[in-house]
């Protein structure tokens, strides 16, 4: 899964998509041989591949909401690299976005940078955080037809045993029956999406 999107929308007559993605880790060499074991020859090959895939998918008028851990580079390479990425960028800060802590960091490439956000996307609430939130705001809300109104999008756990635990949690939660405020029995909704690249 390279990117997921929930909405197509129109802005000033131009049609654009909104994408969500997490944990790209540009410039982070450990992703090749230790953490994700991505298998690129080196960091430069990894960066080039992901940049090509990004710009092959994302257009100038698309929005990309990055759910943390975008890049690991030094300030000068970070600024130059960000200019190469297509789209309007929004950043939910991750634990590896250390470039943001440097006083010389240029965040002008982002529409905003936040630790957490809640957005409306195609009549749904989208809760955005780098870290998975097991009990997220709006989790129990459904439409009149019983369709979930809220989704929790996250990153951080990549494709690890932690993600397997989150999947087990979601399954247990969805199987749990509750009595709602109207006295109806129903299952607990749990719509958590890992946006790991």
């Amino acid at each position: 899964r390279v990117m997921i999107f929930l909405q197509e929308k129109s802005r000033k007559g131009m049609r654009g998509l909104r994408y969500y993605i997490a944990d790209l880790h540009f410039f982070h060499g450990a992703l090749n041989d230790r953490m994700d074991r991505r298998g690129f020859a080196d960091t430069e090959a990894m960066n080039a591949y992901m940049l090509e895939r990004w710009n092959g998918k994302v257009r100038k008028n698309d929005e990309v909401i990055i759910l943390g851990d975008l890049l690991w580079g030094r300030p000068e390479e970070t600024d130059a690299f960000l200019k190469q990425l297509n789209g309007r960028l929004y950043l939910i800060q991750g634990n590896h976005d250390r470039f943001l802590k440097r006083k010389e960091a240029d965040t002008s490439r982002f529409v905003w940078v936040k630790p957490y956000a809640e957005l409306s996307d195609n009549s749904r609430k989208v809760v955005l955080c780098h870290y998975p939130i097991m009990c997220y705001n709006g989790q129990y809300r459904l439409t009149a037809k019983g369709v979930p109104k809220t989704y929790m999008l996250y990153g951080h756990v990549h494709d690890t045993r932690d993600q397997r635990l989150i999947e087990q949690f979601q399954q247990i939660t969805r199987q749990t029956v509750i009595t709602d405020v109207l006295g109806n029995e129903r299952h607990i909704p749990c719509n958590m999406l890992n946006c790991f690249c």
Side-chain angles (χ1 to χ4, degrees):
R1 167 174 42 173
V2 175
M3 295 186 184
I4 65 168
F5 68 93
L6 295 176
Q7 172 180 343
E8 238 181 79
K9 63 189 204 172
S10 177
R11 282 187 312 275
K12 298 181 183 176
M14 302 185 132
R15 197 165 182 89
L17 298 175
R18 179 181 285 173
Y19 295 96
Y20 300 88
I21 192 164
D23 301 301
L24 290 121
H25 288 267
F26 286 108
F27 297 100
H28 196 169
L31 275 286
N32 282 323
D33 54 17
R34 289 189 298 281
M35 294 169 70
D36 293 344
R37 300 184 188 276
R38 292 180 180 178
F40 292 95
D42 54 32
T43 304
E44 291 76 24
M46 178 182 74
N47 289 349
Y49 174 81
M50 291 193 303
L51 179 63
E52 179 183 344
R53 294 288 302 218
W54 179 296
N55 287 336
K57 184 84 166 171
V58 177
R59 299 169 300 179
K60 177 183 168 186
N61 294 312
D62 292 340
E63 293 180 325
V64 183
I65 299 175
I66 303 149
L67 297 167
D69 290 359
L70 173 61
L71 43 80
W72 185 266
R74 295 182 310 273
E76 61 278 1
E77 62 190 358
T78 295
D79 295 342
F81 194 80
L82 286 173
K83 291 176 184 166
Q84 297 178 63
L85 295 174
N86 287 348
R88 297 179 65 214
L89 308 181
Y90 302 76
L91 179 62
I92 297 291
Q93 188 173 354
N95 58 305
H96 286 160
D97 292 317
R98 295 181 180 149
F99 72 97
L100 295 171
K101 294 180 181 175
R102 298 183 181 125
K103 63 181 176 187
E104 67 273 17
D106 179 7
T107 59
S108 64
R109 183 65 181 87
F110 300 101
V111 176
W112 50 249
V113 176
K114 299 178 180 182
Y116 172 93
E118 294 181 10
L119 303 177
S120 176
D121 192 327
N122 201 16
S123 301
R124 293 171 283 208
K125 178 192 267 190
V126 182
V127 176
L128 306 167
C129 187
H130 179 60
Y131 309 100
I133 300 173
M134 307 304 253
C135 300
Y136 53 91
N137 187 20
Q139 177 178 351
Y140 285 76
R141 294 190 179 136
L142 303 172
T143 66
K145 293 182 179 183
V147 177
K149 293 173 84 173
T150 307
Y151 292 80
M152 196 287 124
L153 278 59
Y154 63 94
H156 186 64
V157 295
H158 297 227
D159 188 19
T160 63
R161 67 179 169 268
D162 291 335
Q163 176 58 24
R164 303 292 84 76
L165 291 170
I166 292 167
E167 291 163 2
Q168 289 176 26
F169 170 82
Q170 287 186 83
Q171 183 178 15
I172 291 167
T173 302
R174 290 178 185 141
Q175 292 172 349
T176 302
V177 177
I178 60 164
T179 303
D180 67 20
V181 294
L182 300 175
N184 301 314
E185 285 191 351
R186 63 180 176 98
H187 292 272
I188 299 174
C190 189
N191 298 292
M192 299 174 66
L193 301 174
N194 184 350
C195 298
F196 170 57
C197 74

